[in-house]
């Protein structure tokens, strides 16, 4: 019951974080939004650490840091494949792969479920595809590059979940602290390189930077605020993921967490008045059914 609750709730909150991150990326660069969110999450985790605690160990530090690397790669590949498109195919493909990889590892590693649990996992994977499906008019077949990037992103997300599962039970928030520190550091380095290249190009062309308008300043501030909110919400989702993995089976948590697009589309419907397609409503219904089945598996 706890695992199903943590998994589905965490998925919805992950989706909310993606929604906020998407709004931030429309106002500032996706890389900057990701870096700010990661560093905000690190600050939140450091403030919460004295309360939640955790034992520092070589395993906790190593797996936490490696999960930060996999997270940075996953985000980069995800943004790249969605930019190539079509999102209607590549988004659910990423989510399914991110569920299948850790679920397979968990089942091979000895996760034991009642017969209804295995049916529920299959139903949940179908729900992941339907929830993540975004109907597009005139959508074309994805390119091989887009498919490979989507699969790569899903594998890296799955690797992140597996690495968090491998951390010691007494490590508390230590893995998440290392995850955010490494993730934020990588993104800042990338931003630094991009900024240096842009500055060097302007200098070689002797082009003076344009003064920022009040509208641009307001957009920047709004984007940063949304990125900060994304970082806070994302930490909550990661904490629920950690609790779910500690309380139950990796296979169950990985599949339920992959339903994160549900949170995004629900918020988009409530805030942006975007229409939820019938196929997505069907996916949401299946997701709830699968969660209910897993709670008694």
């Amino acid at each position: 019951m706890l695992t199903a609750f943590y998994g589905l709730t965490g998925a919805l909150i992950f989706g909310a974080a993606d929604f906020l991150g998407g709004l931030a990326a429309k106002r500032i660069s996706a890389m900057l939004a990701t870096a700010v969110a990661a560093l905000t999450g690190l600050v939140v985790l450091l403030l919460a650490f004295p309360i939640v605690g955790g034992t520092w160990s070589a395993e906790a530090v190593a797996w936490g840091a490696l999960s930060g690397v996999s997270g940075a790669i996953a985000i980069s590949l995800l943004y790249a494949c969605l930019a190539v498109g079509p999102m209607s195919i590549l988004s659910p493909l990423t989510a399914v792969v991110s569920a299948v990889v850790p679920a397979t590892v968990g089942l091979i590693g000895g996760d034991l479920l009642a017969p209804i649990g295995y049916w529920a996992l299959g139903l949940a994977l179908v729900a992941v595809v339907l929830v993540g499906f975004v109907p597009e008019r005139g959508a074309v077949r994805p390119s091989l590059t887009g498919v490979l990037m989507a699969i790569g992103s899903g594998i890296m997300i799955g690797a992140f979940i597996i690495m968090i599962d491998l951390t010691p039970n007494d490590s508390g928030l230590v893995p998440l602290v290392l995850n955010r520190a490494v993730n934020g550091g990588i993104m800042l380095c990338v931003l630094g390189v991009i900024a240096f290249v842009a500055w060097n190009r302007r200098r070689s062309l002797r082009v003076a930077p344009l003064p920022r308008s009040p509208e641009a300043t307001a957009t920047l501030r709004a984007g940063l605020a949304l990125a900060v909110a994304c970082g806070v919400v994302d930490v909550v989702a990661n904490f629920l993921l950690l609790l779910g993995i500690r309380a139950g089976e990796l296979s169950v948590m990985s599949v339920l967490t992959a339903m994160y697009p549900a949170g995004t589309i629900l918020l988009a419907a409530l805030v942006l008045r975007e229409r939820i397609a019938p196929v997505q409503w069907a996916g949401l219904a299946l997701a709830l059914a699968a969660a209910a089945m897993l709670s008694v598996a």
Side-chain angles (χ1 to χ4, degrees):
M1 178 68 76
L2 277 178
T3 305
F5 171 77
Y6 288 141
L8 197 55
T9 305
L12 292 174
I13 297 177
F14 269 124
D18 288 348
F19 175 76
L20 293 169
L23 292 181
K26 288 182 178 181
R27 293 161 174 80
I28 57 179
S29 71
M31 284 291 183
L32 179 57
T34 304
V36 170
L39 294 176
T40 300
L42 177 60
V43 171
V44 173
L45 287 168
L46 290 175
L47 291 174
F49 190 81
I51 301 172
V52 179
T55 302
W56 292 83
S57 65
E59 282 184 316
V61 171
W63 288 121
L66 286 173
S67 74
V69 176
S70 69
I73 297 174
I75 291 171
S76 301
L77 288 175
L78 178 62
Y79 287 156
C81 79
L82 293 182
V84 171
M87 292 178 63
S88 59
I89 297 174
L90 298 182
S91 178
L93 175 60
T94 300
V96 169
V97 174
S98 73
V100 169
V101 170
T104 303
V105 170
L107 292 173
I108 293 175
D111 285 0
L112 296 177
L113 300 173
I116 191 176
Y118 295 103
W119 284 100
L121 288 180
L123 187 64
L125 287 175
V126 175
V128 168
V129 175
L130 297 181
V131 168
F133 182 77
V134 183
E136 294 182 12
R137 291 185 178 179
V140 297
R141 289 183 179 181
S143 65
L144 178 60
T145 300
V147 170
L148 291 177
M149 287 191 295
I151 292 174
S153 177
I155 291 174
M156 287 295 102
I157 295 173
F160 157 73
I161 297 174
I162 293 170
M163 291 174 191
I164 294 299
D165 180 62
L166 290 172
T167 58
N169 289 332
D170 63 353
S171 58
L173 292 181
V174 173
L176 296 184
V177 170
L178 268 297
N179 173 278
R180 283 295 173 269
V182 171
N183 196 319
I186 291 174
M187 290 301 171
L188 283 179
C189 288
V190 172
L191 283 173
V193 171
I194 293 174
F196 175 77
V197 170
W199 172 80
N200 195 47
R201 184 178 181 182
R202 284 199 304 268
R203 189 181 66 168
S204 63
L205 296 175
R206 296 183 179 180
V207 177
L210 297 174
R212 190 180 297 275
S213 66
E215 293 79 8
T217 300
T219 300
L220 175 63
R221 289 176 178 173
L224 292 175
L226 288 166
V228 168
C230 171
V232 174
V233 174
D234 188 62
V235 162
V236 175
N238 276 278
F239 184 60
L240 289 173
L241 171 66
L242 184 66
L243 291 177
I245 288 177
R246 297 284 184 260
E249 307 291 0
L250 171 63
S251 54
V252 173
M253 277 301 297
S254 61
V255 173
L256 289 177
T257 301
M259 295 181 190
Y260 60 85
T264 305
I265 64 170
L266 287 174
L267 275 178
L270 292 172
V271 178
L272 303 179
R273 305 298 181 186
E274 292 185 3
R275 188 180 69 88
I276 299 179
V279 66
Q280 292 174 311
W281 280 119
L284 290 172
L286 289 180
L288 292 174
M293 293 165 65
L294 287 169
S295 68
V296 297

